[in-house]
Amino acid sequence: MAANLLSYQGINISEAMAFGIGGGLFFGYLPFIRINGMPLVTYRAAPGHILRQIASIPGVRMHQKKFRRQDEAMAELDRALASSMPVGLQTGVFWLPYFPKALRFHFNAHNLVVYGKVGNEYLISDPVFPQPVRCPAEDLARARFASGALAPKGKMYYFDQLPARLERGPLILRGIQTVCRMMLGSPFPLIGVRGIRFLAKRLGKWPQRLGRESADLHLGHVVRMQEEIGTGGGGFRFMYAAFLQESAEIMQESLLRDCSASLTTAGDTWREFAAMAARVCKGRARPDDTYSAMAGCIDRCADLEKKVFTELQQWVKGRS
Amino acid sequence: MNTTTPDHPAEDDITDGQKIVSYSVNRRGEYELIPESVWQPVNVVNQQAWQEIEKKIDLSRQKVLAGQVSCLHYYMTANQMDPALLAQYVGQSRWKVRLHLVPFIFNRLSANTLRIYAELFRISLDDLRTGRLRPPIYNHQ
């Protein structure tokens, strides 16, 4: 979504690249935040974090605002659009009518870009869909003021100043450094590679702790968060691997290319887990599809990611 | 034989056949963005979630018909809310919302209070008064 916003203002940047220099990759298992009564598992940094990182690039100025009242929030959006400024919004997907029915859960951290208004409808570029979509004003207002966990409170943002060109090299280094720090160096055991291992440990015990039925529901929830539409699959691992690949090209660095391949393997392992989990949820488990096997699979993801990010961290250190 | 047929029928597909963007590696090991159908396991876990939601809605409908809870309980459940979330949306306290789920109290609510709920769920005041159970918002067309 940051990429969309930037490209509308003449800076051509891929979604993966914006995700990478924004330091987007993350892992967190936060059982004290509940989404539909289940623990929050997140594979990316909060959208606000990615934006802040991009906004702190020299020469970029970002304007961000939250609102108390709906009418103020919509008026401010119209004002920005009137000066032909594309605007990023945080929304709750439950209220967006153009979303496929089956994806309309109460999930509030969905970001999209509004780039115009025709009559009473807003023109929206949503990272989930290949084509632009339209949304009536009333529905958009509701989506911007969705309640519950991670409530958007009408949050909108736009870049009112941008450099003519972005010097990618240092930004890539900085983005990678942020992610390495998150994945390897967090003091909290619920975050980064340690968080992945923590999830594996917990998940292995779910059938005993929660009972079979609830364990299956939790499992399905983890897979939904991981493969959620807009992640590019594999809990954003594929998107980040695409970023590493693009960076390898820009910086002429074969190590990044290797790391990209290793991270793709990690993404595939996440998907292996998801496929196993789906069979369990559907009641078509094969003999070796057990909770402990799935925990083992997630542990392997942790090993793979630890290796990738350790290599990346050393590379970054060597360059600065 | 038509080789372009997707490997699962469209009615199984959570996006109703709409393609979404996904990252995939081509033969040379390079990433490409390809509009694809949703990956099958994703459909499975989404269906699981919906089965669970529909189970809850059915249970709620039965309770409403049996007179154990007010029809507000049905609208809350059908829109995937719990009393806490509903309370945030209507700007009431949780215990008030919980009380409104009791038929005896619900039947004595003022039109103003009912209107807040009716607006949220996009139904008429009459629907709430007569206890008509209409489909949730995401089924409106």
Side-chain angles (χ1 to χ4, degrees):
Chain A
M1 35 87 208
N4 274 345
L5 205 48
L6 288 168
S7 353
Y8 271 109
Q9 291 181 307
I11 290 196
N12 207 351
I13 185 167
S14 69
E15 186 191 23
M17 185 50 79
F19 182 68
I21 60 182
L25 199 79
F26 185 68
F27 183 87
Y29 173 70
L30 309 170
F32 45 86
I33 302 180
R34 292 270 151 179
I35 303 274
N36 292 325
M38 285 190 246
L40 175 69
V41 184
T42 174
Y43 295 81
R44 61 142 195 226
H49 171 94
I50 302 177
L51 285 167
R52 263 202 305 282
Q53 179 119 350
I54 290 178
S56 68
I57 296 170
V60 175
R61 206 169 68 200
M62 190 181 74
H63 189 83
Q64 183 182 319
K65 209 168 172 190
K66 283 191 179 182
F67 299 87
R68 287 248 179 81
R69 294 163 48 101
Q70 287 201 9
D71 45 353
E72 273 173 31
M74 295 313 274
E76 182 81 20
L77 173 64
D78 287 345
R79 254 199 303 282
L81 290 175
S83 56
S84 64
M85 189 79 87
V87 179
L89 296 179
Q90 188 187 338
T91 55
V93 289
F94 183 80
W95 304 102
L96 294 173
Y98 62 83
F99 250 70
K101 183 193 149 229
L103 296 175
R104 291 180 67 178
F105 298 106
H106 287 284
F107 175 70
N108 290 338
H110 182 71
N111 284 266
L112 48 83
V113 175
V114 184
Y115 63 91
K117 189 177 185 183
V118 175
N120 200 31
E121 281 193 324
Y122 287 94
L123 307 178
I124 293 172
S125 153
D126 194 307
V128 170
F129 303 106
Q131 303 92 14
V133 288
R134 283 166 174 244
C135 180
E138 196 194 336
D139 293 302
L140 191 65
R142 281 191 172 202
R144 293 181 67 190
F145 283 88
S147 302
L150 315 170
K153 299 203 174 80
K155 187 165 129 186
M156 65 179 263
Y157 45 87
Y158 52 84
F159 296 109
D160 49 8
Q161 196 186 322
L162 285 169
R165 256 191 97 249
L166 282 181
E167 189 54 59
R168 305 269 160 103
L171 298 180
I172 290 171
L173 271 176
R174 195 177 67 145
I176 292 178
Q177 196 178 24
T178 314
V179 170
C180 289
R181 223 179 276 144
M182 286 290 198
M183 291 303 290
L184 300 174
S186 170
F188 302 107
L190 303 178
I191 281 172
V193 174
R194 288 171 74 196
I196 301 180
R197 291 196 204 286
F198 189 84
L199 168 67
K201 212 166 82 190
R202 277 289 184 93
L203 188 142
K205 288 184 195 148
W206 277 348
Q208 292 92 29
R209 274 191 59 218
L210 304 167
R212 188 70 213 206
E213 200 179 330
S214 176
D216 285 357
L217 283 174
H218 276 67
L219 194 60
H221 173 74
V222 174
V223 175
R224 275 204 307 284
M225 289 278 141
Q226 174 188 324
E227 297 295 327
E228 187 205 324
I229 299 206
T231 61
F236 288 99
R237 269 56 193 166
F238 295 132
M239 196 190 282
Y240 202 75
F243 154 71
L244 290 177
Q245 196 169 62
E246 210 182 317
S247 307
E249 209 63 41
I250 293 170
M251 306 189 72
Q252 293 299 315
E253 179 64 60
S254 65
L255 182 132
L256 288 180
R257 182 166 276 276
D258 298 341
C259 284
S260 165
S262 316
L263 198 62
T264 304
T265 318
D268 288 338
T269 314
W270 279 110
R271 283 218 145 168
E272 201 181 301
F273 153 71
M276 216 190 276
R279 289 198 293 271
V280 170
C281 291
K282 213 177 178 183
R284 294 221 187 119
R286 297 173 189 164
D288 48 352
D289 292 343
T290 59
Y291 273 81
S292 55
M294 284 186 277
C297 200
I298 297 178
D299 259 331
R300 263 189 290 140
C301 294
D303 291 339
L304 286 164
E305 291 191 14
K306 175 145 199 181
K307 201 174 135 266
V308 174
F309 291 113
T310 313
E311 261 174 56
L312 282 174
Q313 196 168 41
Q314 268 153 12
W315 175 73
V316 172
K317 265 189 197 143
R319 304 266 308 202
S320 52
Chain B
M1 287 291 277
N2 184 359
T3 50
T4 57
T5 313
D7 49 354
H8 47 85
E11 65 264 31
D12 271 17
D13 198 321
I14 50 165
T15 58
D16 311 321
Q18 197 170 1
K19 298 270 159 104
I20 55 151
V21 177
S22 82
Y23 285 79
S24 37
V25 183
N26 67 15
R27 276 200 209 111
R28 279 162 297 162
E30 288 156 0
Y31 269 94
E32 280 178 332
L33 281 177
I34 303 174
E36 267 186 346
S37 306
V38 179
W39 192 43
Q40 191 52 31
V42 179
N43 284 328
V44 173
V45 292
N46 262 291
Q47 275 158 20
Q48 181 205 27
W50 280 101
Q51 273 167 13
E52 194 58 25
I53 290 167
E54 267 148 31
K55 227 189 274 171
K56 278 188 193 157
I57 296 177
D58 272 345
L59 199 70
S60 167
R61 190 181 285 125
Q62 284 167 22
K63 275 188 176 168
V64 173
L65 294 178
Q68 290 168 343
V69 291
S70 69
C71 68
L72 185 62
H73 188 276
Y74 164 82
Y75 283 109
M76 176 182 84
T77 316
N79 289 290
Q80 302 169 33
M81 297 182 185
D82 56 11
L85 186 57
L86 180 55
Q88 282 184 35
Y89 269 114
V90 294
Q92 305 251 10
S93 65
R94 280 184 206 194
W95 62 269
K96 264 194 184 166
V97 170
R98 285 223 168 82
L99 285 181
H100 296 168
L101 298 177
V102 178
F104 178 80
I105 295 167
F106 182 79
N107 292 336
R108 282 159 183 74
L109 286 182
S110 70
N112 283 335
T113 315
L114 286 180
R115 196 167 294 122
I116 302 174
Y117 287 120
E119 263 168 30
L120 175 69
F121 296 128
R122 293 211 175 133
I123 47 179
S124 69
L125 218 52
D126 214 37
D127 289 333
L128 279 177
R129 282 212 178 108
T130 56
R132 205 177 297 132
L133 304 186
R134 312 220 310 158
I137 283 175
Y138 46 84
N139 276 345
H140 290 194
Q141 207 43 269

